[in-house]
Amino acid sequence: DGGITQSPKYLFRKEGQNVTLSCEQNLNHDAMYWYRQDPGQGLRLIYYSQIVNDFQKGDIAEGYSVSREKKESFPLTVTSAQKNPTAFYLCASSIRWDFAYEQYFGPGTRLTVT
Amino acid sequence: QKEVEQNSGPLSVPEGAIASLNCTYSDRGSQSFFWYRQYSGKSPELIMFIYSNGDKEDGRFTAQLNKASQYVSLLIRDSQPSDSATYLCAVMGGGNKLTFGTGTQLKVEL
């Protein structure tokens, strides 16, 4: 089956710990994205990658880091510098950056930091 | 002013009625407009997109765009309980960046 996988579905961490969220796609898409969703705030772009070995900051990149060493993978690290890390994190991909509208979303990871 | 605004709802409609969801945007240069459906606890799913002024129909869904008024809407005909979800409006502006609204919760009642 083709698609985007995110793991784990639920993640619990203590404050002060870094945590890495996995995102893998087998759609052969060039572009990948990370969003954060909080209640009542819609989706906000954290980072995006137009192509392998390249990535750009989105609107709320502070406290996050990413890598894009392989086309299929775009992991997101939530660092201890992120002040409010508890949220629903969504990974998405599209064929190319200029086909951003056809974004396919993964199932999401719900991160809780206490 | 938010870049993409939606009424959070909930919007309640009886089964079989037409549900009308609205969205306004601030960037006059926006070119492309999208509607995503998101069930509770799930990821968004693209259901409609529109680029030109006027109406675009796909099954029970109709997207309407008025660029002069910076307004886009989604009509759902013959609403079903399975349509109960949050509907996200998304607008693509310069740089191919997709900006999402906060979503409107739709409840279709039996």
Side-chain angles (χ1 to χ4, degrees):
Chain A
D1 287 339
I4 302 177
T5 57
Q6 291 184 246
S7 60
K9 187 172 182 179
Y10 298 97
L11 190 54
F12 299 88
R13 280 293 182 271
K14 294 288 188 186
E15 194 174 322
Q17 293 179 335
N18 291 355
V19 60
T20 297
L21 281 58
S22 167
C23 177
E24 304 277 332
Q25 54 98 359
N26 61 3
L27 300 167
N28 200 31
H29 285 176
D30 283 337
M32 297 185 75
Y33 315 80
W34 273 106
Y35 292 91
R36 167 185 173 137
Q37 188 173 33
D38 296 279
Q41 292 207 42
L43 275 68
R44 293 183 290 168
L45 183 64
I46 305 172
Y47 266 97
Y48 63 93
S49 169
Q50 298 182 36
I51 200 164
V52 66
N53 290 322
D54 174 76
F55 51 83
Q56 306 293 332
K57 291 182 179 180
D59 298 321
I60 55 164
E62 186 176 350
Y64 299 98
S65 65
V66 294
S67 63
R68 187 84 187 278
E69 297 175 1
K70 298 188 297 182
K71 189 175 186 177
E72 312 81 53
S73 179
F74 191 41
L76 173 74
T77 297
V78 185
T79 75
S80 56
Q82 169 48 234
K83 291 182 172 51
N84 296 297
T86 294
F88 187 42
Y89 289 87
L90 287 157
C91 179
S93 70
S94 62
I95 296 172
R96 298 200 313 259
W97 169 242
D98 55 353
F99 277 77
Y101 58 91
E102 289 188 19
Q103 289 189 19
Y104 294 83
F105 283 87
T109 291
R110 195 166 295 279
L111 173 65
T112 302
V113 176
T114 57
Chain B
Q1 182 187 7
K2 291 182 182 177
E3 293 181 58
V4 180
E5 294 210 44
Q6 296 180 256
N7 188 320
S8 61
L11 171 66
S12 294
V13 300
E15 184 178 4
I18 295 175
S20 178
L21 304 162
N22 305 315
C23 172
T24 58
Y25 59 94
S26 60
D27 181 3
R28 280 199 171 275
S30 299
Q31 296 295 319
S32 310
F33 308 85
F34 312 94
W35 285 99
Y36 285 81
R37 177 176 62 201
Q38 186 176 25
Y39 292 112
S40 181
K42 303 296 184 183
S43 57
E45 172 193 11
L46 180 66
I47 53 172
M48 288 287 287
F49 59 87
I50 186 167
Y51 307 136
S52 305
N53 277 328
D55 295 359
K56 178 181 178 183
E57 188 174 318
D58 184 1
R60 295 187 297 113
F61 300 100
T62 299
Q64 299 175 319
L65 175 61
N66 184 327
K67 288 186 178 180
S69 300
Q70 295 175 244
Y71 177 94
V72 59
S73 64
L74 179 69
L75 302 179
I76 306 175
R77 289 183 299 282
D78 188 23
S79 295
Q80 301 297 311
S82 59
D83 294 326
S84 297
T86 296
Y87 289 81
L88 303 171
C89 173
V91 175
M92 183 170 289
N96 292 324
K97 179 190 164 189
L98 204 57
T99 300
F100 287 83
T102 55
T104 297
Q105 185 184 4
L106 173 66
K107 292 184 176 181
V108 181
E109 298 167 336
L110 294 170

